[in-house]
Structures are given as structure tokens and as C-alpha cells.
Amino acid sequence: MRFLMSIAIVVWMIIGGIFAQSSLFSPDSDPQTLADNAPYTAIFTELAQNRPLGFLLYDLTADELLAGVNITQQLPVVSAIKGPILIYFLHFVPSEIWGSLPVEYWNAKRDAVPEAFVDAWDSYYDILNDLYRMIVYSDNFSTGDVLLYTYAYTPYRETYHPVSAFNQWSYDVIGISSNSGLREWDKGGTNNPAFIVRQFDTRTTQIYGVPRFYNNLVTPLDLARYYYWMYHQLPEDAYAVAKAVMSIVEGYPGFLELTAQNLGGMPVSKDGFVGPGDENNNRQEWLTADAGLMLLDDRDLLVVSMSVNGGDRTDEIYAEIERIVRADRDELFWNSTYDYVTWMRSADGPYGANNLSMEGLNFIADYLYEQGIILQGGRDYSEHRDQFLFARQFWLIVFPDDRVPAERNIIQSRVMTIRYARTGGTLTDVARDLGLINP
């Protein structure tokens, strides 16, 4: 029997090798060089400066790496590994199990399930609820149960234990690097000292120049590879279930989820967080990881962010992703991380990079307000682009030097009286009197 299993694993590894060849970057490529030359790497490198922070942004639609920072650096994966574990489950466990009950009932009580699905709920609720809890609530005990349950369906079960089996599948099929992987998952079904991957007992990674040990380490590139494989190789029915589970957002969304939603798309992701006071966090660090897909109307993106004490830059990183997408869409969007003046003077503002005076910018805001355009961060003003351009033109006609002189002509004095004394009509009246707009 063991001989037959060995043959089965060899065959599986050959098949897996075919799959792995479609992994993110070919085996003979230099990922770091590709990352260094990606179009937006410099921007994210600056945001990640002096922090153990890894980041990857990949355009799945265009098949192009957009940015990569420390993508081959081993970093703690924390609960972000639960997304790949779901993919692992869907790859091996028969569809009769996970396809028998719609995801909306995976966390439902029996009396809330339609009669047509009651038998499936009775048969598979325990494992499907574990999957739901693993992804939506990040339950660690459920995660161990899923690993153990999936193990019975894999070709690795007589050669590897449940944790090393997941790793071996990751090497054979997903194509992750040999130094990435789980050392231990000491909750639920895999809470067993015999299920520790001893080859990782001495594995360390450099954090602030010091070798550090963490149980479960993965590079940003390897974490991205799971989602790249899922997107391209997971069968359609399994992919639909993965999307259904990993797009559920209960409570306040994480950074990747919120960014996808802001862009009008669907997040398919799993984040992870370990903070001071959490179990086994002896150094009282902030460990963060987030990985998955942003499925947008115009493109599909793969995003991974991982850090040790780098969470203070996470909001800026995801704001930059949003800025890039909106700029590519040619949207006139006020990124809420900018104040009004910064946005109006930025490359993403209505005029491109400029140095318009404060008086000019305030004049523009006053004129637009008269037109019913309320300026507020986090809004798209694409439909008002012409009115922004007109407001600047109007300002420069009245004040050609982009400044308010000490000695003013009649029109200039009238404009300043309207703006500051709130008398003498409106700026719209002035524009009409100057013949800039129709009477």
C-alpha cells in the first residue's frame, strides 16, 4: 500500500509541476529584479521605508506586476494563511460536499435552511461551518479542523502529517519557495506535537537586521502565488465558492476589503492580525497581513501586504492603490488622505501638478459652491471637470498674476467684496457680467 501511495504522490507531483509552471513568475525568472522595475515600486518602497514590510500589486487582467517591495522576504503570515487553506480544501475535497449547500447557509441554524438543503446541512454542516468560521471570523480552531479534514482527501496522507501535507501541496501545485510554509497549527484538529514541521525549527528571518523566529513564515510573493493559482487554475465551481466565502464582510472591513469596495468592486481575501497581548506574541509586536483579489469592473488585481510593526503605513499603501486605479480610470477623485489644497495642487487634482495660490484655490471653491458642487474628500468629481477648469480660468481672468494686488481694479474689488463681505451679488453674477457665461 505504501508503495502504491508513493507512486501516486510521484504522479501527483508531476501533475502539480504542470500547474506550478503557471505560477506567478517562471522558475527561471528573477522576481526581485522584476519587482524593482515595476512601474509603481518606487512609490510603495518609499511608503515602506525603514519597516519590515512586504507588498505586491499585480494586475491579473493585464498580467503585469505593478509594484513589489521586499517580495522575497520571509514574513509572519498570521491568519492570512487561512485563504490558501480554503483553496487547499476546495482543491481536494469533492464538490458533493462543498457544493451541496449554498454558502449563505454555512453559518445558519437548521430551522433557517430551506427543505431542499436540509439533508446536505445534516451531512456537512460541521465542516462547512468550520470553513465559514475560518474565513469570516478567523477562527483558529476551525482552521485546524479544516486542515485535518482535507488531509484525508489528499495523496499525501501516508507520507506526511496534516500540516506538512498542506506545505507539500503548496510546493508541488502552487509553486511556493521551499523555505515558506507552516511550522505548526496548534489549534483544533492539528493541535498535536506530532504535526510540527521540524525542518522549520531553526528557520529565521531578518527583522530590523536581527534573525527572528516565527512559527509560520511566507514571502509576499508566495502568498500571492496561492491567489494567482486560484484565479487561473481552480475549477470554476470551486472558484465561485471561494469568491462567495472570501467576499463576506461582517463588521468593519479590512484595508483590502474597504479599498475594493471604494472602487466599486468585490474583495476576495483573507487578512490576519496579531497584536500586543495576543497568544504567543512574546515580543508584543503588531503583525499584519492581508492578501487576495480585488475584482473590479475594469480589471482584476492581486494584492498582498505583510508587516512587522508596519501597520501605521497600511492606510497610505491602500490609499495609493486606490489612487492608481482611479488615475488609470481618468477619474477626478479627491483622495481623502489629502486635504483640499494638497489635492487641488496634486497630479491627481483637476489641474495636474501646480502651485496655484491659496486665494485662487479658495476662489475656485467658492465659485463651485455657488454651482451646487460641495467639495469633500472621498468623492468623484469627474462629471464636474469642465466646471473646475472654468473656475480656474475665471480666477486667472480676474487676477492674471494669480495674486490679489494691493491696488485693485473695479472687478477685482467686487470679487473680494463678494467673497469676504458677502455683499454685492455672487461670483456667478460677475462671470455673467464679464461675458464668461450666458446671461
Side-chain angles (χ1 to χ4, degrees):
M1 181 65 179
R2 183 176 295 274
F3 175 73
L4 293 176
M5 281 303 301
S6 297
I7 293 176
I9 290 174
V10 169
V11 172
W12 182 255
M13 290 177 67
I14 292 172
I15 296 172
I18 295 172
F19 284 123
Q21 287 175 15
S22 63
S23 178
L24 193 58
F25 303 140
S26 63
D28 58 349
S29 65
D30 182 352
Q32 194 56 58
T33 298
L34 292 171
D36 291 343
N37 292 304
Y40 299 106
T41 291
I43 295 171
F44 291 101
T45 298
E46 184 176 349
L47 290 175
Q49 196 168 21
N50 300 322
R51 286 167 174 77
L53 190 150
F55 176 76
L56 183 145
L57 177 61
Y58 196 93
D59 188 327
L60 290 160
T61 303
D63 198 21
E64 178 188 11
L65 180 67
L66 299 179
V69 180
N70 298 324
I71 63 172
T72 58
Q73 161 90 40
Q74 294 281 339
L75 289 166
V77 69
V78 290
S79 288
I81 198 62
K82 294 168 184 174
I85 291 172
L86 172 65
I87 299 168
Y88 173 63
F89 173 94
L90 292 171
H91 186 211
F92 283 117
V93 176
S95 61
E96 289 78 8
I97 294 175
W98 46 261
S100 64
L101 186 67
V103 171
E104 62 188 289
Y105 303 120
W106 286 13
N107 195 45
K109 299 298 183 183
R110 190 178 188 276
D111 58 7
V113 177
E115 184 65 29
F117 299 116
V118 167
D119 287 346
W121 190 97
D122 288 341
S123 299
Y124 306 122
Y125 171 77
D126 287 346
I127 185 58
L128 297 179
N129 186 246
D130 273 331
L131 286 169
Y132 188 97
R133 293 184 59 81
M134 177 179 73
I135 298 298
V136 179
Y137 303 132
S138 205
D139 185 275
N140 291 330
F141 291 88
S142 294
T143 304
D145 292 344
V146 172
L147 281 168
L148 184 63
Y149 186 93
T150 308
Y151 175 66
Y153 292 92
T154 73
Y156 303 111
R157 57 189 177 276
E158 290 200 11
T159 307
Y160 301 90
H161 60 66
V163 175
S164 60
F166 169 76
N167 288 346
Q168 197 60 44
W169 169 78
S170 300
Y171 305 138
D172 295 344
V173 176
I174 304 301
I176 73 169
S177 54
S178 60
N179 209 34
S180 286
L182 296 177
R183 175 182 175 271
E184 179 181 19
W185 198 270
D186 60 351
K187 295 288 186 292
T190 51
N191 183 16
N192 187 328
F195 297 164
I196 296 175
V197 181
R198 292 300 178 185
Q199 72 190 62
F200 289 150
D201 284 354
T202 58
R203 178 182 59 176
T204 61
T205 188
Q206 294 284 322
I207 302 296
Y208 295 114
V210 178
R212 297 281 296 279
F213 171 83
Y214 297 91
N215 248 333
N216 302 320
L217 290 169
V218 174
T219 70
L221 174 55
D222 286 336
L223 189 51
R225 282 178 164 136
Y226 288 102
Y227 289 96
Y228 186 90
W229 186 89
M230 179 185 78
Y231 183 84
H232 287 289
Q233 299 291 342
L234 196 64
E236 186 176 344
D237 55 347
Y239 181 50
V241 169
K243 289 194 295 183
V245 181
M246 285 196 282
S247 63
I248 296 171
V249 179
E250 291 197 9
Y252 190 78
F255 285 102
L256 191 157
E257 293 169 331
L258 182 60
T259 303
Q261 291 174 347
N262 287 346
L263 292 168
M266 172 194 290
V268 180
S269 63
K270 180 69 188 81
D271 60 1
F273 171 79
V274 172
D278 288 345
E279 185 179 3
N280 297 325
N281 188 5
N282 299 326
R283 296 183 180 88
Q284 302 300 296
E285 296 174 315
W286 301 88
L287 310 179
T288 58
D290 207 346
L293 310 179
M294 295 184 188
L295 304 180
L296 312 178
D297 290 341
D298 51 341
R299 68 207 295 192
D300 296 333
L301 300 176
L302 195 169
V303 183
V304 173
S305 60
M306 308 174 72
S307 72
V308 177
N309 293 331
D312 59 323
R313 290 296 176 89
T314 305
D315 56 344
E316 296 175 71
I317 285 172
Y318 283 90
E320 184 61 28
I321 295 173
E322 185 173 341
R323 187 202 68 79
I324 289 169
V325 172
R326 293 190 183 280
D328 288 348
R329 291 174 174 174
D330 197 29
E331 292 182 4
L332 183 54
F333 183 81
W334 179 355
N335 190 319
S336 57
T337 60
Y338 294 162
D339 59 30
Y340 169 70
V341 173
T342 302
W343 175 61
M344 289 287 281
R345 289 175 174 170
S346 74
D348 301 320
Y351 314 121
N354 67 87
N355 196 32
L356 275 170
S357 66
M358 286 291 296
E359 281 289 349
L361 294 174
N362 289 331
F363 171 93
I364 290 168
D366 288 344
Y367 176 78
L368 293 174
Y369 181 81
E370 288 185 9
Q371 314 313 307
I373 302 171
I374 310 302
L375 296 179
Q376 182 178 340
R379 292 188 177 180
D380 181 9
Y381 292 96
S382 299
E383 64 179 307
H384 302 301
R385 194 184 299 271
D386 288 346
Q387 288 153 297
F388 275 88
L389 295 176
F390 174 81
R392 180 182 60 174
Q393 178 190 19
F394 181 13
W395 163 255
L396 292 176
I397 286 173
V398 177
F399 297 99
D401 297 328
D402 187 29
R403 66 182 183 87
V404 179
E407 296 184 6
R408 303 163 195 159
N409 61 36
I410 295 174
I411 295 297
Q412 290 172 339
S413 296
R414 182 183 173 190
V415 165
M416 297 305 288
T417 300
I418 292 169
R419 291 189 57 224
Y420 288 99
R422 305 298 178 187
T423 61
T426 66
L427 296 177
T428 306
D429 294 333
V430 176
R432 188 177 297 110
D433 292 346
L434 290 173
L436 302 178
I437 59 177
N438 294 326

